[in-house]
């Protein structure tokens, strides 16, 4: 059978129309040969979400945004999603607008609710939300930082103004003079350090000998400390404590009048008798010195003894009277 020219032309026209329809659908993001599920989400603000934006589940792209329209009655934005995955999406799943990065635009993220077993059907409206993107988070962090920076700048400006008022011509001259004196002091310190280095260089041997002697002294002191540590100091201290306790006991006895020493210190009559006896002994010795013949009389020719004459300072007789 011979195909006429008219049939060829008709086939070509029909093929062109079908190709045009497929291309138009492809450009709109629809594939005529793929089975899709369509969901709708309402938002108050889509945050710059554009059509053909990808739709992801756990980071995997499962579809895209087909259209974004506005409801003339409520003013809400209705986003149409085209899902080509067979992943089960429950009716209580959350559809969030998020920002994957600083460069990329807004995208749609489906957050499934695995506890809900009621699955959404094509054409259902899901619950929407908006997640803060990285730009919003950075803005929130930068806002208080900006306030602090502004306050710091104002404080720095006030400080510089005050500093300019303080640094008048006289103060500047004083600062220059102080810096010059400081440079002079540093130069003198450098000269002094050079002199010290010279002295140290000239006395290295003496310093070495001194350090050797110091090491020897420290070694001897270490030996002495070792000897002291080995000595039975605790026993000595214990004996000293016992001796002091005995001395305290003796002193308590003396103060209470016990023993000969205690009686001598506490008996007033004994003290008076001893004092009186010492005075009489003193007078007796004085009389023996002045009149030795009264006590020792040696006579070869029978000479009579001289009568007794009481001394002038006879305190004994006065005491008797």
């Amino acid at each position: 059978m011979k195909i006429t020219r008219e049939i060829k032309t008709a086939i070509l026209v029909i093929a062109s129309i079908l190709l045009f329809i497929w291309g138009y659908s492809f450009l709109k993001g629809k594939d005529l040969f793929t089975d899709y599920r369509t969901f709708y989400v309402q938002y108050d603000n889509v945050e710059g979400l554009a059509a053909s934006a990808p739709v992801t589940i756990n980071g995997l792209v499962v579809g895209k945004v087909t259209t974004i329209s506005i409801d003339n009655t409520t003013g809400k934005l209705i986003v149409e999603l085209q899902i080509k995955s067979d992943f089960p999406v429950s009716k209580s799943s959350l559809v969030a607008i998020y920002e994957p990065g600083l460069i990329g635009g807004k995208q749609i993220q489906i957050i499934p609710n695995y506890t809900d077993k009621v699955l959404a059907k094509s054409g259902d409206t899901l619950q929407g939300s908006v997640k803060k993107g990285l730009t919003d988070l950075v803005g929130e962090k930068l806002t208080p930082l900006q306030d602090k920076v502004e306050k710091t700048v104002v404080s720095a400006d006030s400080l510089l103004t005050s500093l300019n008022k303080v640094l008048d011509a006289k103060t500047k001259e004083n600062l220059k003079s102080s810096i010059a004196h400081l440079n002079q002091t540093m130069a003198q310190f450098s000269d002094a350090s050079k002199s010290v280095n010279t002295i140290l260089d000239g006395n290295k041997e003496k310093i070495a000998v001194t350090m050797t002697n110091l090491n020897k002294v420290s070694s001897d002191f270490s030996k002495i400390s070792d000897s002291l540590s080995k000595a039975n100091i605790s026993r000595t201290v214990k004996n000293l404590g016992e001796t002091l306790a005995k001395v305290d006991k003796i002193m308590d006895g003396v103060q209470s009048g016990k023993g000969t020493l205690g009686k001598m210190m506490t008996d007033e009559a004994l003290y008076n008798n001893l004092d009186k006896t010492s005075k009489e002994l003193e007078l007796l010795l004085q009389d023996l010195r002045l009149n030795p013949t009264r006590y020792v009389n040696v006579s070869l020719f029978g000479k009579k003894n001289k009568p007794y004459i009481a001394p002038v300072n006879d305190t004994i007789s006065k005491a008797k009277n």
Side-chain angles (χ1 to χ4, degrees), residues 20-91:
F20 174 76
I21 294 172
W22 180 82
Y24 180 74
S25 300
F26 181 79
L27 292 175
K28 288 184 65 177
K30 293 183 179 181
D31 190 356
L32 296 176
F33 304 102
T34 305
D35 187 16
Y36 289 98
R37 288 181 297 170
T38 303
F39 298 109
Y40 298 93
V41 189
Q42 290 185 355
Y43 296 100
D44 294 328
N45 190 341
V46 295
E47 302 286 336
L49 180 68
S52 73
V55 178
T56 62
I57 296 177
N58 296 333
L60 176 65
V61 178
V62 295
K64 57 184 174 180
V65 177
T66 54
T67 58
I68 300 176
S69 59
I70 186 169
D71 190 344
N72 296 328
T73 305
T74 60
K76 292 184 177 292
L77 298 172
I78 301 173
V79 178
E80 182 182 347
L81 308 179
Q82 192 178 74
I83 308 299
K84 62 181 179 179
S85 174
D86 294 334
F87 186 84
V89 178
S90 60
K91 294 191 67 173

Side-chain angles (χ1 to χ4, degrees), residues 6-22:
E6 289 80 5
I7 296 175
K8 291 180 181 180
T9 303
I11 293 173
L12 182 60
V13 170
I14 293 171
S16 299
I17 293 173
L18 293 175
L19 182 62
F20 174 76
I21 294 172
W22 180 82

Side-chain angles (χ1 to χ4, degrees), residues 14-181:
I14 293 171
S16 299
I17 293 173
L18 293 175
L19 182 62
F20 174 76
I21 294 172
W22 180 82
Y24 180 74
S25 300
F26 181 79
L27 292 175
K28 288 184 65 177
K30 293 183 179 181
D31 190 356
L32 296 176
F33 304 102
T34 305
D35 187 16
Y36 289 98
R37 288 181 297 170
T38 303
F39 298 109
Y40 298 93
V41 189
Q42 290 185 355
Y43 296 100
D44 294 328
N45 190 341
V46 295
E47 302 286 336
L49 180 68
S52 73
V55 178
T56 62
I57 296 177
N58 296 333
L60 176 65
V61 178
V62 295
K64 57 184 174 180
V65 177
T66 54
T67 58
I68 300 176
S69 59
I70 186 169
D71 190 344
N72 296 328
T73 305
T74 60
K76 292 184 177 292
L77 298 172
I78 301 173
V79 178
E80 182 182 347
L81 308 179
Q82 192 178 74
I83 308 299
K84 62 181 179 179
S85 174
D86 294 334
F87 186 84
V89 178
S90 60
K91 294 191 67 173
S92 59
S93 297
L94 192 64
V95 181
I97 298 176
Y98 74 102
E99 185 179 11
L102 292 174
I103 300 176
K106 298 288 185 177
Q107 295 182 6
I108 294 289
Q109 179 186 19
I110 298 177
I111 305 174
N113 184 5
Y114 298 104
T115 60
D116 187 6
K117 302 302 181 181
V118 180
L119 300 180
K121 298 179 181 180
S122 181
D124 290 343
T125 301
L126 303 179
Q127 182 181 359
S129 67
V130 178
K131 282 188 175 182
K132 291 183 179 180
L134 184 59
T135 304
D136 297 332
L137 295 176
V138 171
E140 290 180 358
K141 297 294 182 181
L142 288 179
T143 299
L145 181 61
Q146 181 181 0
D147 296 337
K148 292 182 181 179
V149 170
E150 290 178 354
K151 292 179 181 179
T152 304
V153 170
V154 173
S155 301
D157 184 62
S158 302
L159 179 61
L160 290 176
T161 303
S162 302
L163 187 61
N164 289 329
K165 291 180 181 178
V166 172
L167 293 177
D168 53 2
K170 184 177 179 180
T171 305
K172 292 180 180 179
E173 291 296 329
N174 292 333
L175 286 175
K176 291 180 180 179
S177 177
S178 299
I179 293 173
H181 287 303

Side-chain angles (χ1 to χ4, degrees), residues 77-313:
L77 298 172
I78 301 173
V79 178
E80 182 182 347
L81 308 179
Q82 192 178 74
I83 308 299
K84 62 181 179 179
S85 174
D86 294 334
F87 186 84
V89 178
S90 60
K91 294 191 67 173
S92 59
S93 297
L94 192 64
V95 181
I97 298 176
Y98 74 102
E99 185 179 11
L102 292 174
I103 300 176
K106 298 288 185 177
Q107 295 182 6
I108 294 289
Q109 179 186 19
I110 298 177
I111 305 174
N113 184 5
Y114 298 104
T115 60
D116 187 6
K117 302 302 181 181
V118 180
L119 300 180
K121 298 179 181 180
S122 181
D124 290 343
T125 301
L126 303 179
Q127 182 181 359
S129 67
V130 178
K131 282 188 175 182
K132 291 183 179 180
L134 184 59
T135 304
D136 297 332
L137 295 176
V138 171
E140 290 180 358
K141 297 294 182 181
L142 288 179
T143 299
L145 181 61
Q146 181 181 0
D147 296 337
K148 292 182 181 179
V149 170
E150 290 178 354
K151 292 179 181 179
T152 304
V153 170
V154 173
S155 301
D157 184 62
S158 302
L159 179 61
L160 290 176
T161 303
S162 302
L163 187 61
N164 289 329
K165 291 180 181 178
V166 172
L167 293 177
D168 53 2
K170 184 177 179 180
T171 305
K172 292 180 180 179
E173 291 296 329
N174 292 333
L175 286 175
K176 291 180 180 179
S177 177
S178 299
I179 293 173
H181 287 303
L182 181 61
N183 291 332
Q184 185 178 1
T185 302
M186 294 301 294
Q188 293 175 356
F189 181 76
S190 178
D191 295 337
S193 63
K194 291 180 180 178
S195 301
V196 171
N197 291 331
T198 303
I199 293 172
L200 291 176
D201 292 337
N203 296 273
K204 285 183 178 180
E205 296 180 357
K206 294 181 180 180
I207 293 173
V209 172
T210 302
M211 294 302 296
T212 303
N213 294 334
L214 183 62
N215 291 331
K216 184 178 180 181
V217 169
S218 63
S219 177
D220 294 339
F221 182 77
S222 177
K223 292 179 180 178
I224 293 172
S225 63
D226 292 339
S227 300
L228 290 175
S229 62
K230 293 178 180 179
N232 197 353
I233 297 177
S234 60
R235 183 177 179 181
T236 304
V237 173
K238 183 178 179 181
N239 294 335
L240 180 61
E242 293 177 354
T243 303
L244 291 176
K246 293 179 180 178
V247 172
D248 290 339
K249 187 176 181 181
I250 293 172
M251 294 303 297
D252 292 339
V254 170
Q255 291 179 359
S256 61
K258 296 179 180 180
T260 304
L261 184 60
K263 291 179 179 179
M264 291 178 65
M265 294 189 66
T266 57
D267 192 351
E268 187 176 358
L270 179 61
Y271 173 76
N272 293 331
N273 291 333
L274 288 174
D275 183 62
K276 184 177 179 181
T277 302
S278 65
K279 289 181 180 179
E280 291 178 353
L281 181 62
E282 182 181 0
L283 291 175
L284 179 61
L285 292 175
Q286 182 181 2
D287 186 63
L288 179 62
R289 181 176 59 82
L290 295 175
N291 302 292
T293 58
R294 184 181 300 172
Y295 302 96
V296 179
N297 187 7
V298 179
S299 177
L300 299 175
F301 303 100
K303 188 178 180 179
K304 294 183 178 180
N305 295 333
K306 293 181 179 181
Y308 174 76
I309 300 174
V312 179
N313 330 344

